[in-house]
Structures are given as structure tokens and as C-alpha cells.
Amino acid sequence: MQSAYEYVDVVRPPRLRAGDHVRVVAPTGTPDRAEVERTAQWLKNQGLEVSVGTHALDAVDDGERVQDIDRALRDLTIKAIVAVGTGAEAHRIADDLDFATAAHLPTLLVGFRECTILHLAFWERAGLAGIYGVPDQSFVAAAFGTEPVVVRSVPDSHTAELTTSGRATGVLLGGDQEQIATAAGWVLPSLHGAILLLEAYGLRPDQIDRQLTMLHRTGRLKGVRAVAVGRYLECGPGNVLDVLRDRLAPLGVPILGGLPIGQGAIPVGTPAMLDADAGTLTIEPAVS
């Protein structure tokens, strides 16, 4: 398994342009029709041609979700795959996708939280960079532009208290903490030399503790160069910050909290610089 430090050949899909064809899929479970329609219309408003995966609204098994993604990967007219839905089934297909095609005919994957495991799998198996977040104005900058994306810490955000000092560089990998823990042992890349991105929704402090302890004790956090912490929403009851501080401080690396992850779209799987003193996370583009 190649580490983030050694992985110099990041695969960047072409940037999006007006008129490009994008495909909406539902890898995490069946979404609401209204969500699919809303996402498709927003993408059309950006000048994109939009189609919806055959099984996006009625997949009855994992094979149909895999089929929708693989068809999009193999279709040379499709430049991006945009995931919708808030189910929790993406891990069931993370090992079954056409990674060979993704490596040689790269297609931009756009997905948030529940799609963390897919971003990790595509990077581990194909070196493919992607966009973590939802389609909004920051998505336009991340998907259509080739300039670095700068994310600034919000001082009054609850996780801003975790910020330490120092700076570090490394490939930005991660996302939803529960999905990262789920990926350990099979599609979680080596994090040696990486900046680890962490955020979560709906976890209890004991779950946060167990997952981070497992990642630490199994050596999966060995070599991490810095930690970028987003929001831990609806997590509790109990002091989530104490748990995060207790589990992350022993890594002895710069920590930058208070990042508004989820309020926009950012590249993942590309080199980044975390500057805890300046309160910034600067990420190289996911597209070329």
C-alpha cells in the first residue's frame, strides 16, 4: 500500500466546463426524488448537461448502485459523478467499483459525508482526487477552476478550541470520522505523510473515542502530519472536545479546528498546507 507521502502521481480529472455532461447517482441509498431534482436543476443552472443514473431512485440492491457508477465511469461523455442521498450504504459497494477505468479515464467524484469511504477507495485504488462537499458556489470554484482552495478557520466554531500551532504539508485525506473508521483494514489508504481531515455527525463521545482509539492502536494514524478538524454536529451528550483533544494531542502534530467543512466543497486527495498559526488550510485543486 502506497503512502500519502510517497504518492506523487495524483490523478486529477479534467476541470468542468459549461456544456459538460454530469451524472447524478445515489451510492448511499435511495434519495428523495425532490433532492435529485433539486440537485439536477442546480447543476443545469451552472451550464452543465445533467442525467440521472438509471437506478438512482429505485435501486433495490448493491449491484444496481455499482452499475450506475461504473456506467458513468465508462462513459467518455460524462465528466463528473455527483452523489446525492443521506443513506449509510456506500461502504457496501466501496470495494466493487471499476477502479482501473477510474485511474485511466478519470471522472470527477463529488460527494459528502457518507461518500467519504468512496473518496478513500478511489484514492487508495486509483490515486483519484475528488471533491468533498455538496454542489454550491464553492463547488463551482473547486470543479471549474484550477486555483488552490483556501479554507479558513471560524474562530467561534466549537472545534476551533482544538487549534494548536505549527504548519505541515501533505495530501489531504479523510472526511467523516465514522466512514474513515469503517474503511480501516480494507480501503483506507496509508495516512503516512497525510493531513487527516475529520468531521462527524450524530456520534456520541464514546463512539468518537472508540473509533479514534482503534485507528491509533492499529497504527492507521502513524505518520499523519497534521489534523484538520471540521464540525462535529449533533454529537453528544458529553464533552466531545475533551475526547478529541485527548485522542489527537498525542499525535504531536499541528491541529487546526473550526473549519467550516460541509458548508462548501473542497478538494480531497491532493497536496495541501495546514497553517495552524494563520488558521488556514490551503488545498491544491482536484482538477487539471
Side-chain angles (χ1 to χ4, degrees), residues 21 23 70-79 101 107:
H21 182 190
R23 175 70 49 83
D70 282 353
R71 281 177 175 173
L73 289 171
R74 296 165 185 164
D75 187 334
L76 296 181
T77 71
I78 295 175
K79 305 304 180 183
T101 295
T107 304

Side-chain angles (χ1 to χ4, degrees), residues 199-217:
E199 58 102 12
Y201 180 86
L203 294 180
R204 301 188 309 271
D206 62 303
Q207 292 175 304
I208 296 169
D209 192 346
R210 282 198 299 270
Q211 291 170 7
L212 292 178
T213 299
M214 180 274 292
L215 290 168
H216 175 69
R217 297 295 187 189

Side-chain angles (χ1 to χ4, degrees), residues 97-166:
L97 302 170
D98 187 352
F99 298 110
T101 295
H104 297 290
L105 299 170
T107 304
L108 182 64
L109 173 65
V110 182
F112 184 47
R113 190 164 285 135
E114 293 80 8
C115 287
T116 294
I117 198 165
L118 299 185
H119 283 300
L120 293 171
F122 274 114
W123 200 89
E124 198 272 336
R125 302 291 169 84
L128 185 65
I131 291 179
Y132 186 75
V134 296
D136 64 4
Q137 287 309 122
S138 59
F139 161 80
V140 174
F144 286 75
T146 55
E147 295 297 317
V149 172
V150 180
V151 185
R152 301 183 185 279
S153 175
V154 179
D156 60 357
S157 176
H158 65 295
T159 62
E161 294 181 26
L162 300 172
T163 299
T164 60
S165 62

Side-chain angles (χ1 to χ4, degrees), residues 13 60 79 82 140 171 184 204-205 208 214 225 247 250 266-267 274:
V60 297
K79 305 304 180 183
V82 179
V140 174
V171 173
R204 301 188 309 271
I208 296 169
M214 180 274 292
R225 290 188 167 182
R247 296 292 81 195
I266 63 171
L274 181 147

